[in-house]
Structures are given as C-alpha cells and as structure tokens.
Amino acid sequence: MANFKEIVTKAVIGKAKKTTTSNFSLTPNEKPDTVLGCWVINHSFRGRNNQGAVEINGEFDVNVWYSYENDTKTTVSTSRFQYTDRMNIRLKDDNHLTDSSEIIVRSLKQPTVTNVSISNGVVKLEVEKELGVEVVGDTKLKVPVEDDEDDYEEIIDEDEISVSDETEISNVETEYLD
C-alpha cells in the first residue's frame, strides 16, 4: 500500500486575459487638420489585490503626428494617459486571492491606436490592449511515497565469487577470447 505525503509549494492558481478598448482625447497646441500617424510608447503597469479581484494600474504615452495650418506644417504632440482595469480571476482548488498572493501581469498585445478622429480641434483616440494575469499562491500536492523497504541493490565484491562461479570461468574456451 502506497503512503502519500502533502507538499506545500507555490504554483499558478489562477490565470486570465482581458482585451480592453478605451477612449482618450488629446488637445494639441495647434488646431489639427489631418492626423498623419499615431503610436503608443512607454507602456508600464502593475497589478495588485483589491478586495478579491486583480486591479491593474497602468500608463502609456501617445504620440500623435498631425498637420495644421491647411496641411502646410506638421508636428508631434505627446500626452501621457493612465488607466485602471479590474479582472475577476477564477482561482483553482478553492484558493482565495490574498495580499500574500503574487500577481504577475503581462502585456499580451501592446496598446495600439485602432481609431483616431478630429473634432473641434481635439484628437479622439481609441486604444486597444490585451493584458494577461497569473496569480501565484500556495497550494498542496499529494505524492505517493514508497514503503520503507530496503531498496538498496547488493553489490558482490570479486573476492566473494563462489566456487561454482570459478568453475564457470575456468570452462571458458580461451580461443574465443583472442
């Protein structure tokens, strides 16, 4: 009969991903005529436990390249935006999210401007991103343990060769060995 031991270890006890689309607006110094390009840089984020759910606080810079004065001049306007996303993650094995749980957040799809428009001198942006979260916490594993039998293999020294073994050795034809 096999015995079992419980091992307490850290493991991923919950995992989820979420795609979000958020709207932001940027008011440049000049009145833009046409948006020529738009990109997101310097994305940073951090996850934490907030009443049993993962709250992700992040920020990024958006650079908007636009033309103005009847499309005769161009410039780039930069603005920093902040966001907060909340994720309810189902945890395995009836675990609960605690302050001692480690929360790992990854950007699965970097923030990207998916739609941009100009309205009354204000640039309206639609930004899409995908974040993945892993929750690491304590969990138990049950492993089978062998019985306390003597499982060492016995090694016979050459000095302890029995007489019958010596007879077998002397019966070997030496012409086959050459």
Side-chain angles (χ1 to χ4, degrees):
M1 183 169 124
N3 293 323
F4 287 90
K5 298 278 184 182
E6 286 187 345
I7 298 173
V8 177
T9 186
K10 296 245 182 231
V12 175
I13 58 173
K15 198 175 193 178
K17 67 180 180 178
K18 182 178 183 181
T19 302
T20 58
T21 302
S22 305
N23 294 308
F24 301 98
S25 59
L26 177 135
T27 305
N29 295 333
E30 300 83 8
K31 185 176 179 187
D33 296 322
T34 308
V35 173
L36 304 170
C38 212
W39 59 98
V40 180
I41 59 172
N42 300 327
H43 184 212
S44 62
F45 45 84
R46 185 171 184 269
R48 67 180 187 92
N49 175 18
N50 185 357
Q51 299 175 349
V54 175
E55 182 179 88
I56 303 165
N57 296 308
E59 57 188 12
F60 50 78
D61 294 331
V62 176
N63 294 318
V64 178
W65 178 35
Y66 61 94
S67 66
Y68 61 99
E69 288 187 16
N70 293 323
D71 293 329
T72 60
K73 296 181 180 180
T74 67
T75 192
V76 174
S77 183
T78 301
S79 190
R80 185 152 197 82
F81 296 105
Q82 297 180 344
Y83 66 89
T84 300
D85 288 337
R86 186 175 171 88
M87 295 175 75
N88 291 317
I89 299 176
R90 246 178 279 151
L91 302 179
K92 299 174 186 172
D93 302 328
D94 295 324
N95 281 301
H96 300 284
L97 188 62
T98 65
D99 290 333
S100 65
S101 300
E102 181 183 354
I103 298 172
I104 301 167
V105 182
R106 290 187 175 86
S107 179
L108 303 177
K109 180 183 174 201
Q110 288 295 330
T112 306
V113 177
T114 56
N115 194 12
V116 63
S117 63
I118 301 170
S119 176
N120 296 323
V122 176
V123 178
K124 301 203 182 263
L125 307 164
E126 188 174 280
V127 178
E128 182 180 280
K129 68 184 175 312
E130 183 175 49
L131 299 174
V133 174
E134 292 179 352
V135 177
V136 177
D138 290 331
T139 189
K140 291 181 184 178
L141 301 173
K142 280 190 176 183
V143 295
V145 179
E146 290 185 21
D147 293 334
D148 293 329
E149 294 180 18
D150 186 16
D151 59 350
Y152 290 100
E153 182 179 327
E154 189 171 330
I155 297 176
I156 301 173
D157 290 336
E158 291 180 18
D159 295 339
E160 297 178 7
I161 297 177
S162 67
V163 174
S164 64
D165 291 336
E166 287 179 12
T167 307
E168 289 295 320
I169 293 172
S170 65
N171 290 338
V172 173
E173 294 186 29
T174 57
E175 65 186 55
Y176 291 117
L177 297 176
D178 291 333

